[in-house]
Amino acid sequence: MVDYRVDNQFTVLEINNPPVNALSSDVTIGLYDGILKALQDDSVQAVIIIGKGKVFCAGADITAFSKSIKGLGITDVGHAIESSSKPVISAVYGVALGGGLEIALFCHYRISDKKAKFGFPEVQLGLLPGAEGTIRLPRLTGLPVAMEIITSGRQLSAQEAVKYGIIDKIVENDLLQEAKTFATSIIGKPLDSLRLRTKKVKNADLVDKYYDDALKEVKRKSKGLIAPVSCLKTIRGSAKLPYDTAAQLERSLFTELITSSQSAALRYSFFAERSAAKWRLPNGARSANTKPGSVVSAAVIGAGTMGSGIAVCLLRAGIPVILVEQNEKLLKAAQTNIDQIFRGSVQLGKMTLEKRQECLRMLQGTAQLEKVKDVDIVIEAIFENLKLKQEVFAKLDKICKPTAFLCSNTSTLDIDKIASATSRPDKVAGTHFFAPAHIMRLLENVYGSKTSPETVATVMELGRKIGKISVLSKTCDGFIANRMNKIGVEAVYLVEEGASPYNIDQIMEDFGMSMGLDVGWRIRQEQAKALGVNLTAETKYLNAERYCSLPDKLYELGRNGIKTGRGWYRYDPANPRKPIPDLDVLDIIQTHCQNLGIQRREITAQEVIERCLYATINEGFKILEENVAEKPSDIDVIWQYGFAFPRYRGGPMFYASQVGLRKVFERICYYHATFPYSKHWLPSDLLRKLASSTDEIPINQWMNNWSSKL
Ligand code: TC6
């Protein structure tokens, strides 16, 4: 885990723990033993710590946090390094993050490659840099900079790290060779002033002011999170307390955080996101053994808002795009829109002028579908209508080369039905982007019964290439995302039953979700059309299901949301982002309920949360039962990236695991008995099975239990 080599007058300690040299207990033992051995070797004048492979060290082993860790900690190694009578130099390539940066800060010197990155990402895992990072960084950078770096968790470039005094030097050539040259230049120099524990924190007397300012910022940016506040408390301790007392405070706050539900959810989210890329199909094909097809050119059919956004994603990733629209006028509008997006990125410093020009050069607009004949992949983004899509796919099938993949940006329609219009259903998949497509990071890829593993691998890889988090769904009505979302449905029922829409929004916001009630008129009209019913009448039922016609009423009254200045709220044109509660809406609700004879009642915050989330969770379990999602963490990734579910709660499925499946199941049964006309309350069989277990089954074992039943 740590290779020990003596090279002339140097000991080289090379961390060798692929893939990211995380500080497992073997690594900490290796470093500790290596330092002691180097101290005993008279031929050794200096020690160089370096990482093998692509990175120096990505910090503590996150997988080990849920187990009880015994043995040497990072601080034990750090203290051995710091007190060493021989200089210790860390040579950083790739990243030095978290505990990795802490190890570097215990060293007397730090040098790095020019592309190296540094940071304390612990806060993103609901933690603080608990190996004295919060006490040592302020001694180098000063308090305000340390507060910003630690509470944001962001990665710093090597240039920034030199500016703040975090590293001593950036080197140009072979890192180890440069480290030896550097070490030769400092051998024999006194080490005392280089031991950070001996340094004073600059402007320590101003710490309360810095703390107050940083706290305001943290509360604004990371509402509901406890870790950033704990980080600030320990940094304040670094300025106010003697070193060892500050270290004690840091340890005790770290212990509090590591056992918190927020950290558990954030660590789960870290791995959930990575595991979404590791897919497996019911036929056994897996990401690990399936090669994606090559995609070096693409076409997007339909240049509306979605099509344009998708084109932007592809162009940014260096994939030339043929954009197809019905006529020149629409094409021109789309090209202007796309250029506006690029201009915005340039203005924000996220794109260079040259890159913008390159992207525009790679974009070709046309009104002739035949032009797409040579592209590797087509993404259709036209109106959400099955017949229309089938027509387009039938034409594409004839025009495109036989190896081309044909994808649809549909958000709900059956991929099998779309694929049936072609002679290559194995090459057809759904690529469901979320609006705005150039901003939202989620890509829900959908496979049908005939989609080949190669096609799945291709769309998953394409997602990675264009910077999306891709999650795989089996085809069904609404796929994972839209099928599962029952929040809007339950919210309007709650309004009918007695809750104010503003209270519901507030309760959900306090929970960490700011979705806002939606009128959703167009979708509802489409659904009604499919059922052959008219939505204008006030009604409690539709097609033997409970139905709330309030949103239809609001729509008929011209209350279509921000664009009409009114919806559930009023909107001031000068500040449309700040909705204003509207008494007229409360009157409309009253009249609606009187007309339908609905007795309104008091509704608690607990009921709002349960009704909105448990209905959604129940559907999530059905999605798992039917193998629409392969694992619960895929569902949670969709909720975090598609619906802004608070990451510190993990996602609806993880939330259910924290509440306890038995309790969730009991409440779902209660609501099913209370609302028999809402079929989404019919309890899931998988949930029933898991809830009947005497022990709570961990979320990563839910599917093992279910597969055994199949
Ligand atoms: C800490 O240090 C606290 C200290 C105080 C203690 C008292 N541990 O992201 P990638 C895995 S807290 C274990 O796909 P990239 C990852 O799951 C820690 N595993 O690659 C994946 O596994 P898979 C503070 C880790 O090149 C594989 O490595 N540090 C760890 O896009 C590759 O990862 C952090 O929070 C880890 N620490 O990005 C750093 N890190 O292949 C977190 C990664 O089985 N890590 N893995 O799926 C990162 O930010 C990024 O992984 C990266 C590499 C920038 C290091």
Side-chain angles (χ1 to χ4, degrees), residues 19-20 22 58-62 98-99 102 121-122 125 130 254 270-271 274 278:
V20 293
D61 182 353
I62 307 170
E102 281 166 322
E122 284 85 341
L125 301 171
F254 182 84
F270 177 86
F271 291 112
R274 282 156 181 81
K278 295 172 190 148

Side-chain angles (χ1 to χ4, degrees), residues 10-25:
F10 311 112
T11 283
V12 178
L13 294 178
E14 190 172 47
I15 309 174
N16 180 6
N17 185 20
V20 293
N21 291 332
L23 294 164
S24 64
S25 60

Side-chain angles (χ1 to χ4, degrees), residues 472-655:
L472 191 61
S473 168
K474 187 167 83 174
T475 190
C476 69
D477 185 13
F479 317 139
I480 301 174
N482 286 334
R483 168 173 166 181
M484 192 173 157
N485 189 355
K486 301 292 173 212
I487 295 183
V489 184
E490 277 300 314
V492 287
Y493 294 164
L494 284 160
V495 169
E496 256 184 352
E497 288 166 40
S500 128
Y502 315 119
N503 267 349
I504 296 179
D505 274 350
Q506 189 59 55
I507 291 162
M508 293 309 284
E509 202 178 317
D510 291 345
F511 179 83
M513 294 193 78
S514 23
M515 288 183 72
L517 278 173
D518 186 8
V519 174
W521 185 83
R522 193 169 296 284
I523 299 173
R524 299 157 69 82
Q525 290 295 323
E526 284 287 319
Q527 285 166 346
K529 227 193 288 167
L531 294 170
V533 289
N534 177 2
L535 280 188
T536 48
E538 247 165 7
T539 177
K540 283 205 266 187
Y541 301 99
L542 189 64
N543 213 27
E545 268 273 300
R546 180 175 177 183
Y547 185 80
C548 172
S549 54
L550 250 176
D552 306 322
K553 179 151 296 164
L554 291 181
Y555 194 88
E556 280 161 34
L557 292 167
R559 294 182 157 270
N560 310 353
I562 296 182
K563 52 188 178 300
T564 54
R566 297 180 313 164
W568 290 99
Y569 292 84
R570 274 191 301 118
Y571 299 91
D572 176 357
N575 192 5
R577 297 262 149 238
K578 196 156 188 285
I580 306 156
D582 190 344
L583 282 179
D584 289 351
V585 169
L586 300 182
D587 286 344
I588 294 167
I589 296 169
Q590 280 295 348
T591 315
H592 167 88
C593 293
Q594 269 161 17
N595 291 349
L596 289 173
I598 297 170
Q599 278 288 329
R600 290 169 60 77
R601 63 187 169 91
E602 202 57 44
I603 290 179
T604 63
Q606 181 65 20
E607 180 172 352
V608 171
I609 298 283
E610 286 186 1
R611 294 272 298 276
C612 291
L613 290 181
Y614 292 6
T616 296
I617 288 166
N618 193 36
E619 197 64 32
F621 277 103
K622 292 178 190 170
I623 281 171
L624 288 172
E625 260 169 47
E626 293 168 26
N627 275 317
V628 169
E630 183 203 335
K631 44 196 182 297
S633 59
D634 287 352
I635 296 178
D636 285 337
V637 172
I638 286 201
W639 273 80
Q640 286 187 18
Y641 285 96
F643 301 116
F645 197 94
R647 199 171 164 88
Y648 63 83
R649 293 194 191 270
M653 306 316 280
F654 186 80
Y655 176 71

Side-chain angles (χ1 to χ4, degrees), residues 641-670:
Y641 285 96
F643 301 116
F645 197 94
R647 199 171 164 88
Y648 63 83
R649 293 194 191 270
M653 306 316 280
F654 186 80
Y655 176 71
S657 78
Q658 288 203 317
V659 173
L661 295 191
R662 202 161 324 133
K663 180 166 172 217
V664 172
F665 178 69
E666 276 165 18
R667 297 303 291 159
I668 287 173
C669 291
Y670 166 78

